[in-house]
Amino acid sequence: MSARCPSAPDDLLLRDLVCGLSTPRRAPTVSVGVLGSPDHTPQPPAHCLRVCLGADPQAVASRGCQFLATAARHEIDRTQLQDGRCPQGFAVTARPTRLGGAGAVFVSVEGEIADGTAQKQGHAADESNLLGHVDTAARLVQRVGEILEENSGFADEVLQNYEQLNLIFDLTQQIAQVTDARAIEKLLLQRVARLLGSAAVTLASADGGCRVFGGADGRGDGVAPDLPLTDLRPVESLIDEIRRTRQVRVHEAGGRQIIAGPLVRLDEKVDVVFADRAPGHGAFSSGDMMLVESMLAFGGQIITNTELHERLRRMSLEVTHAMVAAIDKKDHYTSGHSQRGGFLTRLTAQELGVPLAEQQTMEWAGLLHDIGKIGIPEEILCKPGKLTHEEFEVIKQHPRMGYEILKPIASLGVVLDGVLYHHEYPDGSGYPEGLKGDQIPLVARIVHVVDTFDALTSTRAYRQAFHVERALEIIRDEKGVRIDAEVADAFFRAFERYRREEPGDFAARFPAFIQSEKAHAKP
Amino acid sequence: MSRVLVVEDDPHILRLISMWLKRQGHDVREARNGLAARELLNAEPTDVLVTDVNMPGWDGLALIEAALPMGQVQRGIVVLTNRWDHGEIRDRLAQWHVHVLPKPFSPARLSELVESLTTAGAGDSPGSVVASAPRPEEGV
Ligand SMILES: [Fe+2]
């Protein structure tokens, strides 16, 4: 009964409606349909919806088309039934609809009414009834078409939002795994390019120079000489304006549209980000501007934080090294002791499966453990020969002194444990508190093993250095007494592996070991 | 054009997905939960099954578990998951060779997936579920 032509999904809903409407009691043959405008649809039948009761769908469609030229422009609410105005012998009411372009709803009535004879024989009442019915039908179809179109517009918007949300979520997830400001910048700007449908975006750095980032497939990364935006001279005033106002702008240049916005970085430096669209890809919308604004604000915040974090980390490292240099300066014969202490502590912590962030703090504890020696008089610290009992009591104050020096630095937490307890022994005979076994924090146990090893292998004012193998042996003998057994074993494993697998690094870091090995080597 | 069965408890998202896929020219059927979807599959096979995971009653995992031995999903399964779904769900999905799209999903990616599943050779292309999924011993 009905010819179903290939149609947009929403047409199917319309068809159901039309089916219900297209059986007025008195009409011998009624066709109701929606036609796309011929201007917009080269092949109207493919876009038309026809419910034809007894009529030839092709014929109805083509006849309906004749009304479209008018219907698309004017609302026709009276049908053309009179002789001469409806020479094809059918009645149509048509209303403009935007469904599928500038189309029209049409309702055609054929048969009896179109038959001139029947008309003359006085079907006036029927005609006007039918026309009323047909007109209502057309209005309904038109309204439904409008609602469907609105729906479809909303759906487009929601779908587009989904697309953007998805990209932003992806970006957030990816950024969480990246700690380098440059890498975040790259991720961010590639996303911006993708969201804008641009082949690439250009970043004009506040420090001069520019960087180009590719869109979806990363094409265009690096410098793309064919992109006009690598030459920033024509947009210099735009750059200045954006630096000043910090607002997104859309700019026309040489028949090409450019969207540009600020990326605010550390120290209020403003980079300017540009994207363009190839001609024929539509103008940038206010939605695009909003997108650029929020993406750059969001990204700028993260990049700034990351840069700040990097700067602080670098600064605290520099401060730490300055403090370490101060200790080593005072206690010259232990030169390099702190550096090696930091390195070996980290190596051992790694072997013990300590989480990465904690390895870093432990390394600091290894570096800073002897900082308290700054407060010990030089004549005691550097005294050649044996110390008196009193002198040794003074030396024993260095862990607590170190602790007092570092205590005001709140963020050092675990480091303080390492500094204060690095001369505690498992058997409880250590200082300053005489803690036993597990009472001693892990970081302190590690620093103690490493410290002992480095002390043994260093030349002291009162004795020569022990050979590495001898030092390891001495530590092994002290396991469980003055040395934590578990930590010592981890240290042995880590040290042996390091020496075996990284001979170059080992030679650079521990030159004294190599020399002492040579000295001990049998001729 | 291929047959797609969309299963999603949120009526708006369901309508949106089905509208989107219909626009791409697919023949779309809808179900609001796993049980309803299984009934539809019982009656008629589908090329692609697109399903949400978290649904009241029969969820997406139960549906996939039931659908695999039926052999009524002929080309592949796309699962829409919450981004923060815990590891257990991800592990189970991994064992089934299904395609996973985290919500909010990318509509473009969804249609790409459906397209690639249905145009990929005679079902023996890599990445397609067809070769591996509908065997009864799997997923049970
Ligand atoms: Fe010490």
Side-chain angles (χ1 to χ4, degrees):
Chain A
M1 59 151 236
S2 74
R4 186 176 144 190
C5 51
S7 53
D10 291 336
D11 289 351
L12 300 181
L13 255 182
L14 250 176
R15 188 194 58 178
D16 291 344
L17 176 82
V18 162
C19 265
L21 291 172
S22 56
T23 47
R25 262 167 316 202
R26 304 299 308 269
T29 302
V30 177
S31 309
V32 184
V34 181
L35 281 174
S37 145
D39 308 344
H40 289 76
T41 52
Q43 291 172 299
H47 278 263
C48 92
L49 162 85
R50 299 180 298 264
V51 178
C52 304
L53 304 170
D56 169 18
Q58 287 295 334
V60 172
S62 77
R63 279 185 235 166
C65 276
Q66 297 167 13
F67 285 85
L68 289 179
T70 341
R73 286 186 291 274
H74 315 286
E75 187 172 316
I76 304 171
D77 24 43
R78 283 309 297 160
T79 51
Q80 309 169 2
L81 255 184
Q82 278 139 359
D83 273 343
R85 289 192 63 189
C86 188
Q88 287 85 6
F90 67 109
V92 168
T93 180
R95 287 175 175 280
T97 165
R98 286 166 300 154
L99 194 76
V105 175
F106 75 92
V107 176
S108 81
V109 184
E110 293 177 87
E112 255 184 274
I113 292 170
D115 180 330
T117 337
Q119 210 177 338
K120 277 178 204 138
Q121 283 170 1
H123 282 256
D126 282 351
E127 279 163 28
S128 81
N129 267 348
L130 184 62
L131 284 179
H133 195 107
V134 156
D135 200 45
T136 309
R139 280 177 192 277
L140 264 171
V141 171
Q142 183 191 24
R143 183 67 198 122
V144 169
E146 282 167 8
I147 292 171
L148 286 177
E149 202 198 349
E150 275 165 28
N151 259 347
S152 154
F154 288 143
D156 278 343
E157 212 158 294
V158 174
L159 286 164
Q160 203 189 341
N161 285 347
Y162 262 60
E163 204 70 65
Q164 294 187 353
L165 257 182
N166 175 66
L167 277 171
I168 290 169
F169 271 99
D170 269 2
L171 180 68
T172 320
Q173 266 180 339
Q174 286 184 21
I175 282 181
Q177 293 159 11
V178 177
T179 49
D180 166 27
R182 274 296 171 93
I184 294 174
E185 173 190 281
K186 182 176 168 181
L187 268 173
L188 173 78
L189 296 183
Q190 281 179 343
R191 280 315 151 100
V192 170
R194 229 168 115 175
L195 283 171
L196 289 175
S198 305
V201 304
T202 306
L203 177 139
S205 165
D207 306 325
C210 67
R211 302 190 278 280
V212 179
F213 302 87
D217 46 7
R219 259 184 310 156
D221 269 355
V223 176
D226 54 319
L227 278 172
L229 284 180
T230 49
D231 179 11
L232 297 174
R233 280 166 304 180
V235 286
E236 245 160 33
S237 67
L238 180 64
I239 293 179
D240 286 344
E241 191 197 334
I242 288 170
R243 289 230 165 94
R244 209 175 52 249
T245 60
R246 298 192 179 181
Q247 277 175 352
V248 175
R249 288 265 183 282
V250 172
H251 180 76
E252 290 272 351
R256 217 176 163 105
Q257 261 201 337
I258 294 170
I259 193 166
L263 181 66
V264 182
R265 313 180 71 119
L266 194 57
D267 298 329
E268 302 288 299
K269 281 184 189 161
V270 182
D271 290 351
V272 179
V273 173
F274 292 95
D276 67 347
R277 252 179 207 163
H281 273 73
F284 286 114
S285 65
S286 64
D288 292 325
M289 292 175 78
M290 214 160 75
L291 182 81
V292 168
E293 188 181 320
S294 53
M295 290 282 282
L296 292 185
F298 161 78
Q301 200 63 250
I302 293 174
I303 291 175
T304 303
N305 286 346
T306 310
E307 286 175 336
L308 197 62
H309 182 261
E310 276 168 19
R311 175 188 286 181
L312 287 176
R313 201 183 59 87
R314 217 178 20 249
M315 209 157 84
S316 54
L317 253 165
E318 283 161 8
V319 170
T320 310
H321 283 282
M323 290 200 280
V324 166
I327 316 167
D328 285 359
K329 197 131 209 158
K330 180 140 190 183
D331 195 2
H332 350 268
Y333 62 82
T334 63
S335 164
H337 172 65
S338 304
Q339 301 289 352
R340 290 192 297 273
F343 175 76
L344 292 175
T345 299
R346 186 183 200 121
L347 213 64
T348 310
Q350 228 165 25
E351 179 70 27
L352 283 165
V354 169
L356 207 65
E358 246 175 281
Q359 286 177 24
Q360 178 66 62
T361 6
M362 289 190 174
E363 178 176 344
W364 286 12
L367 273 168
L368 294 169
H369 69 276
D370 269 347
I371 193 153
K373 285 186 177 170
I374 285 176
I376 307 292
E378 212 159 324
E379 58 275 17
I380 299 178
L381 204 58
C382 305
K383 181 186 174 187
K386 271 223 168 298
L387 296 172
T388 66
H389 178 73
E390 288 72 26
E391 285 167 343
F392 191 57
E393 285 304 310
V394 176
I395 289 271
K396 276 164 74 175
Q397 289 170 10
H398 83 269
R400 188 161 297 281
M401 280 189 177
Y403 173 81
E404 296 296 335
I405 291 171
L406 296 177
K407 201 172 62 176
I409 309 174
S411 58
L412 286 180
V414 177
V415 177
L416 295 182
D417 277 349
V419 172
L420 183 58
Y421 299 122
H422 78 274
H423 283 291
E424 299 285 2
Y425 310 138
D427 66 355
S429 67
Y431 58 89
E433 292 180 13
L435 298 183
K436 277 185 179 176
D438 285 352
Q439 291 176 323
I440 310 167
L442 178 63
V443 56
R445 283 182 273 155
I446 299 176
V447 173
H448 176 55
V449 171
V450 165
D451 187 29
T452 308
F453 174 75
D454 201 70
L456 288 170
T457 51
S458 302
T459 300
R460 289 286 152 122
Y462 48 90
R463 64 151 169 78
Q464 276 295 305
F466 288 100
H467 179 245
V468 173
E469 306 309 329
R470 178 69 192 126
L472 293 175
E473 217 172 273
I474 293 172
I475 293 176
R476 204 167 284 129
D477 289 345
E478 291 280 355
K479 262 190 350 191
V481 187
R482 292 179 57 164
I483 292 284
D484 184 280
E486 190 198 346
V487 172
D489 288 338
F491 170 73
F492 295 147
R493 286 196 303 273
F495 184 76
E496 289 301 342
R497 190 167 57 235
Y498 166 66
R499 195 159 57 153
R500 191 174 61 243
E501 290 175 4
E502 320 251 3
D505 193 90
F506 177 71
R509 243 182 242 276
F510 300 93
F513 288 15
I514 304 288
Q515 279 159 24
S516 85
E517 270 176 15
K518 277 191 192 134
H520 283 75
K522 298 222 168 77
Chain B
M1 183 179 92
S2 45
R3 295 162 301 174
V4 183
L5 174 59
V6 182
V7 194
E8 162 69 62
D9 59 315
D10 183 317
H12 300 111
I13 299 179
L14 177 60
R15 171 101 176 95
L16 196 70
I17 297 173
S18 95
M19 203 171 187
W20 174 244
L21 292 174
K22 280 175 187 170
R23 271 195 213 167
Q24 320 292 316
H26 300 295
D27 184 3
V28 181
R29 284 186 296 166
E30 301 176 354
R32 291 281 294 275
N33 60 56
L35 205 57
R38 195 192 58 174
E39 293 312 306
L40 288 177
L41 281 179
N42 253 334
E44 201 188 320
T46 187
D47 294 318
V48 179
L49 170 67
V50 176
T51 180
D52 184 22
V53 173
N54 298 311
M55 290 179 287
W58 262 61
D59 67 6
L61 297 177
L63 170 64
I64 297 172
E65 222 164 53
L68 287 175
M70 286 165 73
Q72 291 284 81
V73 181
Q74 303 188 331
R75 310 290 306 208
I77 298 176
V78 179
V79 185
L80 306 174
T81 62
N82 193 311
R83 240 162 239 274
W84 299 277
D85 273 342
H86 45 89
E88 193 201 329
I89 291 181
R90 272 183 282 155
D91 291 348
R92 286 182 68 189
L93 291 174
Q95 130 214 341
W96 285 325
H97 318 281
V98 296
H99 297 269
V100 176
L101 283 186
K103 281 182 177 176
F105 64 94
S106 151
R109 183 81 195 103
L110 175 64
S111 50
E112 258 170 47
L113 256 179
V114 170
E115 200 62 33
S116 74
L117 283 173
T118 49
T119 52
D124 47 16
S125 74
S128 157
V129 185
V130 192
S132 50
R135 284 201 302 270
E137 63 272 22
E138 262 184 292
V140 188

